Amino acid sequence: MNLAMVPAVDKSEIAFFDVETSVPTRQGQGFAILEFGAILVCPKKLIELENYSTLVKPSDLSLISNLSVRCNGISRDAVISAPTFAEIADKVYGILHGRIWAGHNILRFDCARIREAFAEINRPAPEPKGTIDSLALLTQRFGRRAGDMKMATLATYFGIGQQTHRSLDDVRMNLEVLKYCATVLFLESSLPDIFTENSWVSPNATTRSRSNGKASPEAIGLDSSEPSSSSKVENHLRSTPANHLEEAHPILSLVTPVTNIDVQDIVDPNSTGTDPFDMGLLRNEMEREPLQVEDSMEEEESGSALQESSTTSSEGSCGLIDFLEPDEISIPSVSVFLASFYRGTRKIQILHKSIALHVCCRQLKVRFGISKKFFDPAGRPRLSFVVNASPSLCRILDEIDKLAQRLSVDSGSSSEWRPSVTRKAGFWNFPTVRLHLPTIADGDVVRWATEIYQKESSTIQRLVFNKFDTEELDPLFTPGNFVDAYFSFDAYDYQQNAGIRLVAKKLILHPN
C-alpha cells in the first residue's frame, strides 16, 4: 500500500523515516534534502503497513557535489525531474505529524533537516508525539558489541545485507536491526547469568543526564514539558505503565520513561541552523562541543586511546616522543591510514614520514580559558581551551583535515567533518584551535593526563595538583597568557560528526 494514496488518520503507527541529503563542501553551505523515505510500522506486530519514498529536487542543483554523489549515489540527473520539497510537504507532514518518529541518528540529523525544509517554505514543521533514536538507544542498551553502531556496521553484525544509503532501504534495514537487537536483549534478560556472562555491555547499563548530573538507568527517551519552536519532542510514554508498554510495544519496551532531561542534552541546539559550519558567534562556538554528555561511545573509544598514551606521558616520558615544530613538518610527507582499534573498529591515524605525528607549538596565545561545561559518562569534566593558531600550524592542520576527511568518506562515513582550525566570519585572520586536556582514572583517583609545567625565568617546574580540582586550572589558562603546547591527534566519528582532536600531552605555561 502506498502512503501517497492513503490519508493519515490512525496515528498509532511508528513512522520510521530517513532523509538523504547533499553534503556541504564549503563554509556557509547548508544541507539539501535529496530523498525522503518512510514506512509506517504496527507497534504490536512490528510489520510494515505502508510506505512512501521520493527523490527531491533541491532549489539549487549545484549543492549536489561529487562528494555528495559518492555518499549516497544521488546525482543531479537523478533528481532533475523529481518534485521539490514544497510539492511533497503535505505528504511528509501527513506521514510524520502526531506519530512516533523512529530512525537512526534522527535526533541529531534527520529531524533537523525536516525542520529546516519546512522553514524554507514558510510552513510549520510536523511534530512527533514521541521519538526513538535507535543510535542513542542501542548505544546505551545494546552496547558496542557490534562496533561503531552505525547502521552499516549493525547490519553487517547481524548479516542482513549492505546499507545502500537510500531512504526506503535504510528505514527498512533500521527496523530489521531493531528487531534483531530487541530479540538479543530479550534473550539476555531471560537468562542473564548465561547470555550476558561474556557480553560487552551490562544489562544494567546506565546513562548520565547533564541536566541533573546523576546516573539513572533510563534509556534515551525525551520529555519536554514546554513546547519549543525549534525542538518539541514529547515523551508519549509518560503515562504508560511499564508492563503495558512491554506487552503492547516490543520495540518500545527498550525505552523507559525519562523525566527532567533537557532536549539539548541529545539534540545539538544549532542543528536547525541554515549553516552547518557556523556554530554561532566566535565566543559561543569556542565553548561548544557536539553531544558532550551522551556520546559515551565516542568518549570511551577515544578515551581508551588517550589513557593508553597519556599514562606514559604523565610519568614524564614526553621527552621520549619526537615532537616536531610546524616548520619541521613536510606537508608532502604527511599521510593518514585506518588502523585497527577497539573490538574490530578502525580509526584514522596521522603519520609523518611513516611515523605517528606529534606536534610542538611554542608561544601560543590563549584566546579562551578552560572550558568545563561538559562531562564524560563518568561525570568527570572534559576540559579544553582555545589558542590562536599560527599560519604554519594552520597549513599543517588543513592538510591533515583534507587527507583525513577524504579517507573518512572513502571508508563509508557520511558524517559532517568538523575542521581542526576554526575560522569565523569577521575573524578570518584570527584562526583558532582547541586543545583538549584528557584525564585518567586509577581506581578512585583521577588526575590530569597532561603534564603541566610553569616557566619562571630560566627554570621550568612541573606543577603538582593535590586533588582533581578544575578550579586550580582557571588562573593558569587566562586569555592573553602564552603556552608551549605538545600535542597528538585523536580522530573521532560519532553521530554524524567527525574530525580530529588535538590532545595536549605537555603544556609549558609562560609567566604573565
Side-chain angles (χ1 to χ4, degrees), residues 48-309:
E48 178 182 326
L49 301 175
E50 305 171 12
N51 69 77
Y52 171 72
S53 68
T54 180
L55 292 169
V56 181
K57 180 181 178 180
S59 57
D60 182 2
L61 287 175
S62 68
L63 293 175
I64 306 178
S65 62
N66 291 334
L67 177 60
S68 176
V69 175
R70 289 170 63 185
C71 287
N72 52 41
I74 302 175
S75 65
R76 298 178 187 179
D77 291 340
V79 300
I80 193 68
S81 300
T84 65
F85 188 82
E87 294 172 319
I88 66 166
D90 286 339
K91 297 175 184 178
V92 174
Y93 190 93
I95 293 167
L96 297 180
H97 187 66
R99 285 192 168 93
I100 300 167
W101 294 3
H104 206 65
N105 196 34
I106 58 171
L107 288 175
R108 288 293 305 277
F109 190 77
D110 302 78
C111 294
R113 306 290 83 81
I114 291 293
R115 290 194 297 269
E116 290 171 356
F118 275 90
E120 287 175 2
I121 60 174
N122 297 313
R123 289 190 50 174
E127 300 292 352
K129 67 177 180 180
T131 307
I132 303 172
D133 189 326
S134 57
L135 176 58
L137 175 64
L138 295 180
T139 298
Q140 192 272 341
R141 287 301 181 94
F142 195 69
R144 285 185 298 155
R145 65 184 88 182
D148 59 14
M149 301 306 292
K150 292 182 179 180
M151 184 55 61
T153 308
L154 288 162
T156 300
Y157 179 81
F158 287 114
I160 56 177
Q162 298 293 319
Q163 185 181 15
T164 64
H165 290 287
R166 296 302 297 269
S167 293
L168 197 57
D169 290 342
D170 283 3
V171 293
R172 284 171 171 158
M173 177 172 282
N174 195 176
L175 175 60
E176 291 305 307
V177 164
L178 275 177
K179 288 179 181 178
Y180 276 89
C181 290
T183 301
V184 171
L185 292 172
F186 172 76
L187 291 173
E188 290 182 349
S189 66
S190 301
L191 295 170
D193 293 338
I194 298 175
F195 286 116
T196 64
E197 180 178 0
N198 296 315
S199 294
W200 179 86
V201 66
S202 166
N204 297 317
T206 62
T207 60
R208 183 173 297 274
S209 165
R210 182 166 67 222
S211 60
N212 56 22
K214 297 179 180 179
S216 62
E218 287 85 7
I220 304 300
L222 301 182
D223 179 8
S224 176
S225 58
E226 296 184 5
S228 165
S229 59
S230 63
S231 179
K232 177 184 176 185
V233 187
E234 297 181 355
N235 188 352
H236 69 290
L237 304 173
R238 242 174 287 165
S239 59
T240 307
N243 56 354
H244 173 74
L245 175 69
E246 294 178 1
E247 292 176 3
H249 302 282
I251 289 297
L252 294 185
S253 64
L254 294 174
V255 183
T256 54
V258 177
T259 58
N260 299 324
I261 290 186
D262 189 349
V263 172
Q264 293 182 354
D265 285 356
I266 310 298
V267 184
D268 187 342
N270 289 322
S271 60
T272 59
T274 57
D275 182 358
F277 290 102
D278 185 0
M279 268 65 76
L281 298 176
L282 182 62
R283 177 175 294 274
N284 290 334
E285 191 277 336
M286 294 303 177
E287 295 300 323
R288 181 177 293 114
E289 295 178 15
L291 201 66
Q292 295 299 321
V293 172
E294 302 298 340
D295 61 350
S296 57
M297 181 182 72
E298 177 198 350
E299 179 63 21
E300 292 183 19
E301 191 169 280
S302 52
S304 53
L306 293 181
Q307 289 178 19
E308 179 180 355
S309 58

Side-chain angles (χ1 to χ4, degrees), residues 210-434:
R210 182 166 67 222
S211 60
N212 56 22
K214 297 179 180 179
S216 62
E218 287 85 7
I220 304 300
L222 301 182
D223 179 8
S224 176
S225 58
E226 296 184 5
S228 165
S229 59
S230 63
S231 179
K232 177 184 176 185
V233 187
E234 297 181 355
N235 188 352
H236 69 290
L237 304 173
R238 242 174 287 165
S239 59
T240 307
N243 56 354
H244 173 74
L245 175 69
E246 294 178 1
E247 292 176 3
H249 302 282
I251 289 297
L252 294 185
S253 64
L254 294 174
V255 183
T256 54
V258 177
T259 58
N260 299 324
I261 290 186
D262 189 349
V263 172
Q264 293 182 354
D265 285 356
I266 310 298
V267 184
D268 187 342
N270 289 322
S271 60
T272 59
T274 57
D275 182 358
F277 290 102
D278 185 0
M279 268 65 76
L281 298 176
L282 182 62
R283 177 175 294 274
N284 290 334
E285 191 277 336
M286 294 303 177
E287 295 300 323
R288 181 177 293 114
E289 295 178 15
L291 201 66
Q292 295 299 321
V293 172
E294 302 298 340
D295 61 350
S296 57
M297 181 182 72
E298 177 198 350
E299 179 63 21
E300 292 183 19
E301 191 169 280
S302 52
S304 53
L306 293 181
Q307 289 178 19
E308 179 180 355
S309 58
S310 298
T311 300
T312 57
S313 69
S314 67
E315 297 302 325
S317 62
C318 277
L320 302 178
I321 300 177
D322 187 13
F323 288 90
L324 300 179
E325 297 194 27
D327 292 338
E328 299 175 314
I329 299 173
S330 168
I331 288 182
S333 299
V334 175
S335 61
V336 298
F337 80 106
L338 279 175
S340 298
F341 192 56
Y342 187 78
R343 291 184 175 267
T345 61
R346 296 187 299 170
K347 196 168 187 176
I348 295 176
Q349 300 293 311
I350 316 299
L351 303 180
H352 180 258
K353 297 181 179 179
S354 301
I355 300 174
L357 177 60
H358 304 276
V359 180
C360 166
C361 288
R362 305 183 191 279
Q363 293 285 326
L364 295 176
K365 187 176 183 179
V366 177
R367 175 75 73 86
F368 298 113
I370 293 292
S371 169
K372 48 193 174 185
K373 295 167 57 178
F374 310 107
F375 300 85
D376 68 12
R380 296 185 297 266
R382 295 182 61 186
L383 304 181
S384 62
F385 65 101
V386 174
V387 296
N388 293 339
S390 66
S392 58
L393 177 59
C394 289
R395 284 194 296 271
I396 294 165
L397 296 181
D398 288 342
E399 178 67 16
I400 290 173
D401 272 324
K402 182 180 73 174
L403 296 173
Q405 183 179 14
R406 183 185 305 159
L407 179 58
S408 176
V409 173
D410 290 344
S411 64
S413 174
S414 60
S415 298
E416 175 187 345
W417 191 266
R418 295 179 176 268
S420 302
V421 180
T422 299
R423 298 176 175 93
K424 302 303 296 182
F427 299 89
W428 192 257
N429 294 326
F430 301 94
T432 60
V433 295
R434 182 178 291 275

